[in-house]
Amino acid sequence: NMYKFNNLLIPVATTKNAIPFISCHALEPFTIFINSYARKNNILKENNQAIGSISVVKNDDGIEMVHIGYCISKKYWNKGITSEAFERIIKFFFEEVKVNRIEAAHNEKNIYSGRVMLKCKLKKEGILRDALKDNSGITDCLIYSILKREYFYK
């Protein structure tokens, strides 16, 4: 599916074909970034598969919001790859697409994903009870966001 925002067409995963953080359908430029980083640092798998992806998993035109999901192979955690890709996607959505709000969420047990969100200047808003389904089942999730005014007036 394509999402049109301010005359830009952006690939968007829908709830029908994606569960956030499990089957992430990628925005092309950011998947390319992750894979080129991997190639440059000799961490791409032998069969040339992607090591991760980042995508819009839902959006709300009324409040000009995108919800970002990302996943990366555990082998590549703690290398700064996800943080750098997320920082680039934040810049893209605020500066090019002109959204008002970017949000992301993670399973309450996945503290490392929360650290990525904090590193990228998102603020923790709270806990949504039984609001996320992932490979561990239905679970609570922590929700984070950054607003346009916070991004531009750091």
Side-chain angles (χ1 to χ4, degrees):
N1 290 343
M2 298 299 283
Y3 166 57
K4 187 172 183 180
F5 192 96
N6 287 354
N7 295 321
L8 291 173
L9 288 177
I10 302 164
V12 178
T14 66
T15 54
K16 183 178 177 183
N17 65 9
I19 299 172
F21 315 111
I22 301 302
S23 55
C24 301
H25 293 262
L27 283 167
E28 188 72 20
F30 304 102
T31 299
I32 289 168
F33 164 74
I34 289 170
N35 292 337
S36 67
Y37 178 95
R39 259 191 298 287
K40 183 172 65 177
N41 292 283
N42 296 317
I43 56 176
L44 200 61
K45 295 179 181 178
E46 285 180 20
N47 58 7
N48 214 26
Q49 288 184 346
I51 61 168
S53 65
I54 191 165
S55 63
V56 174
V57 293
K58 67 181 167 182
N59 62 282
D60 184 327
D61 290 337
I63 59 171
E64 300 174 336
M65 180 275 297
V66 291
H67 183 105
I68 304 299
Y70 51 83
C71 53
I72 190 163
S73 172
K74 190 172 186 176
K75 183 177 178 180
Y76 305 106
W77 289 3
N78 298 313
K79 299 185 184 306
I81 299 168
T82 305
S83 298
E84 189 170 345
F86 198 11
E87 287 170 350
R88 288 178 181 218
I89 206 168
I90 289 168
K91 177 180 170 72
F92 171 76
F93 275 102
F94 281 134
E95 295 182 15
E96 302 296 324
V97 181
K98 311 288 189 209
V99 299
N100 182 56
R101 173 185 168 90
I102 297 172
E103 66 179 34
H106 68 85
N107 177 318
E108 66 178 336
K109 295 175 185 145
N110 186 353
I111 60 169
Y112 299 108
S113 193
R115 288 182 186 161
V116 168
M117 294 172 197
L118 291 171
K119 184 177 180 182
C120 293
K121 308 293 189 250
L122 279 73
K123 293 182 180 176
K124 183 178 169 185
E125 294 186 340
I127 299 172
L128 302 175
R129 300 181 309 142
D130 283 354
L132 177 72
K133 184 173 183 178
D134 64 13
N135 57 356
S136 68
I138 296 173
T139 182
D140 293 352
C141 70
L142 280 67
I143 184 94
Y144 296 73
S145 72
I146 183 169
L147 304 177
K148 176 172 52 179
R149 66 178 178 259
E150 295 165 339
Y151 176 80
F152 285 108
Y153 304 105
K154 304 172 195 179

